[in-house]
Amino acid sequence: MIHFLQVDKTYPDDIKALTKISCKIERGEFVFITGPSGAGKTTLLKLIIRAERQDRGEILVNKRNISRLKNSQVPLLRREIGFVFQDFKLLHNKSVYDNIALVLRAVGHNKKEIPKRVRHVLKTVGLEEWILQQTPLKLSGGEQQRVAIARALVNTPAIVLADEPTGNLDPELTVEIMNLLEKVNALGTTVVVATHNTGLVAQYQKRIIPLYRGALAA
Amino acid sequence: MKENGPTHALSIGTIAIAFFLFAAFLLFPLNFASLLEAWEKKVQIILYLKDGIDEKRIVRLTGDLEKEIGILKVRYISQRAAMESFEQDLAGYGGALKGLKADIFPASFEITVEEGFRTPEQIRSLASRLSTIPEADEVQYGGVWLERFSLLLYTLRWGVWVLGGILVAIIISVTANTVRLTLYNKKGEIEILKLVGATDTFVKLPFYLEGGLQGLLGAGVAILLLFALFRMFSVTIAPYVSLFLGEMQLRFLPPSIIAWILGVGVASGFLGGLFSLRRAARI
């Protein structure tokens, strides 16, 4: 599903983010990318959605070499991937409904279908319908992250990438969100979670891709 | 646009001011041109004759002048007819005119020029040819004023283009800055849209449209304002101006120029949006 082959990434000022990364994530897998801050976890996720480009090596997503994609093809790649952020990145001036529906509008979904899909995904992430008219700031951190996951799932992506999804949550809400991601994975979606929380990783017993200073740790 | 209401209102106001100046400046040559046309219609050349030319020669000269290219009508004014006309014009001063003799008034030809020959250059050229006739003493025409006025009109016409260019640059810059402000306000939304697979067109089109709409509204407001002021001017002030400049038919901008201004508004606003997106950091 996702295949890294000898991937290097260096940022300006010669900051080496990733060095010779080779790894494989299979379809339907739940994988943790672990490592301390600055290990290269976020860069690795950004490379998968081509928000950054590698300097060397190849990255295959769904058997497509994404470094060879034309710029106009990148949106199509991103439609297959849902992204969850540590800080949720919800639009505070829009309702929960609009935050989720935004994705469907952006990819040109049938207008009549949008409300149905939004309600369906809301149920999947365990939120009630009254929340749809609320703005994100009126919700708790856990609810906001559920909305963010709903937004990542609404377009039924094959892959969900989550960058420190529980970083801003207390332990109780962390468990809730991780259980939700497990549920998403159980529905057949490949889930990749980047986290520095070793306790969390130990608790969930999933495959780990450990990073340290931009390289795969032994 | 409603999310950044005050910024957009300010931007539309600035664009409207720029367009107002431009459109008002356009009105001057338009109306001066009609005044010039009216003056050109009235233009006559007076050819004063030397004394002592006999009647036979006058008849021959009249015939020769009528054949001259560019001359529509030739009317001979004898010395007596000139004196009578003078007396008529100054009828109120009858006493003062007593004792005047006809021979102090020169005979002349009043020459009406054909419609296609009423430009200042053509009238000057015709007058210059007529002054070479041996019997001609002096040739007069309202050429100096006509030429000065024509030069003013020419300068105004060019001025409109220069001013127009400057204003379009201002409009593009104002729109670009407003759109850029919106762009930064919506950075989060754009980032998310791009991450979920929105195409570039989907992300950028609203900004282009916003720029175009701002330009259109600015130009529209300017034209409405100018029209209101024009109406006010033509009702209250124009009659007094006519006293000095003669009968003057005031004209507002024709529909084709209004459409052109609105089009320039849309195009420059759209360009502003385009520039702001090009110059903005990659999102």
Side-chain angles (χ1 to χ4, degrees), chain A residues 146-166:
Chain A
R146 279 172 189 268
V147 173
I149 293 172
R151 185 182 61 193
L153 293 177
V154 72
N155 200 26
T156 53
I159 304 164
V160 168
L161 306 178
D163 191 6
E164 302 279 6
T166 58

Side-chain angles (χ1 to χ4, degrees), chain B residues 10 24 38 63 66 110 122 135 138 156 160 164 169 182 189 251-252:
Chain B
L10 199 67
E66 279 171 346
E110 267 182 20
Q122 284 167 318
E135 290 82 357
E138 194 186 339
L156 278 175
V160 163
T182 316
E189 187 174 336
R251 282 193 291 176
F252 191 64

Side-chain angles (χ1 to χ4, degrees), chain A residues 113-145:
Chain A
E113 236 184 78
I114 293 176
K116 220 188 289 174
R117 292 192 72 144
V118 171
R119 284 186 171 81
H120 180 258
V121 79
L122 201 73
K123 214 180 273 177
T124 307
V125 299
L127 289 172
E128 289 173 29
E129 280 205 17
W130 65 267
I131 227 167
L132 284 174
Q133 300 317 317
Q134 305 297 313
T135 50
L137 285 178
K138 289 183 182 160
L139 308 179
S140 69
E143 284 169 332
Q144 286 189 52
Q145 193 56 300

Side-chain angles (χ1 to χ4, degrees), chain B:
Chain B
M1 268 174 69
K2 62 184 174 189
E3 285 171 25
N4 272 323
T7 314
H8 288 297
L10 199 67
S11 171
I12 290 166
T14 315
I15 293 169
I17 291 169
F19 267 117
F20 178 83
L21 291 173
F22 178 63
F25 211 74
L26 268 179
L27 271 180
F28 283 104
L30 193 77
N31 283 291
F32 280 148
S34 72
L35 192 62
L36 189 68
E37 272 171 32
W39 282 4
E40 279 173 357
K41 274 180 197 161
K42 290 179 188 169
V43 149
Q44 272 190 334
I45 297 175
I46 314 286
L47 188 148
Y48 292 103
L49 296 167
K50 288 174 182 166
D51 291 339
I53 300 168
D54 62 45
E55 245 175 71
K56 272 186 188 168
R57 181 71 189 127
I58 297 290
V59 173
R60 215 179 318 134
L61 261 177
T62 309
D64 289 349
L65 287 172
E66 279 171 346
K67 281 180 211 154
E68 186 81 28
I69 296 168
I71 292 178
L72 182 69
K73 211 165 72 185
V74 178
R75 186 170 155 240
Y76 173 67
I77 313 282
S78 65
Q79 287 182 305
R80 172 148 297 280
M83 190 182 81
E84 283 167 6
S85 163
F86 186 71
E87 282 172 349
Q88 258 180 13
D89 288 345
L90 300 174
Y93 303 92
L97 301 175
K98 263 184 190 168
L100 281 179
K101 289 182 180 168
D103 60 6
I104 66 160
F105 293 93
S108 62
F109 284 113
E110 267 182 20
I111 297 165
T112 308
V113 181
E114 275 180 23
E115 209 170 310
F117 284 82
R118 286 174 185 164
T119 64
E121 299 78 28
Q122 284 167 318
I123 290 169
R124 193 190 329 127
S125 153
L126 181 60
S128 154
R129 261 187 290 142
L130 294 176
S131 65
T132 61
I133 296 172
E135 290 82 357
D137 187 31
E138 194 186 339
V139 177
Q140 278 187 2
Y141 64 102
V144 179
W145 275 106
L146 209 60
E147 279 179 33
R148 282 185 189 163
F149 199 71
S150 177
L151 184 69
L152 174 71
L153 194 65
Y154 179 79
T155 314
L156 278 175
R157 278 180 180 150
W158 274 104
V160 163
W161 285 109
V162 174
L163 184 75
I166 295 169
L167 291 178
V168 164
I170 291 172
I171 292 158
I172 290 175
S173 157
V174 168
T175 323
N177 282 316
T178 318
V179 171
R180 200 171 306 143
L181 211 62
T182 316
L183 194 76
Y184 283 115
N185 285 339
K186 290 196 168 183
K187 211 175 167 187
E189 187 174 336
I190 293 167
E191 190 183 356
I192 288 161
L193 282 172
K194 294 207 108 182
L195 284 177
V196 299
T199 58
D200 257 16
T201 312
F202 184 89
V203 174
K204 288 177 179 174
L205 193 64
F207 294 98
Y208 297 149
L209 293 179
E210 184 182 308
L213 188 63
Q214 272 183 30
L216 180 70
L217 288 175
V221 167
I223 286 174
L224 284 176
L225 190 67
L226 187 67
F227 184 68
L229 287 174
F230 175 82
R231 291 277 297 183
M232 215 166 75
F233 176 83
S234 55
V235 171
T236 58
I237 302 167
Y240 297 104
V241 176
S242 295
L243 288 176
F244 299 99
L245 293 176
E247 199 54 44
M248 193 176 172
Q249 192 66 43
L250 282 178
R251 282 193 291 176
F252 191 64
L253 302 171
S256 58
I257 293 197
I258 292 177
W260 188 80
I261 290 175
L262 294 175
V264 170
V266 174
S268 42
F270 196 82
L271 273 177
L274 194 77
F275 287 150
S276 75
L277 287 171
R278 276 201 170 174
R279 287 175 61 184
R282 204 176 132 246
I283 299 162

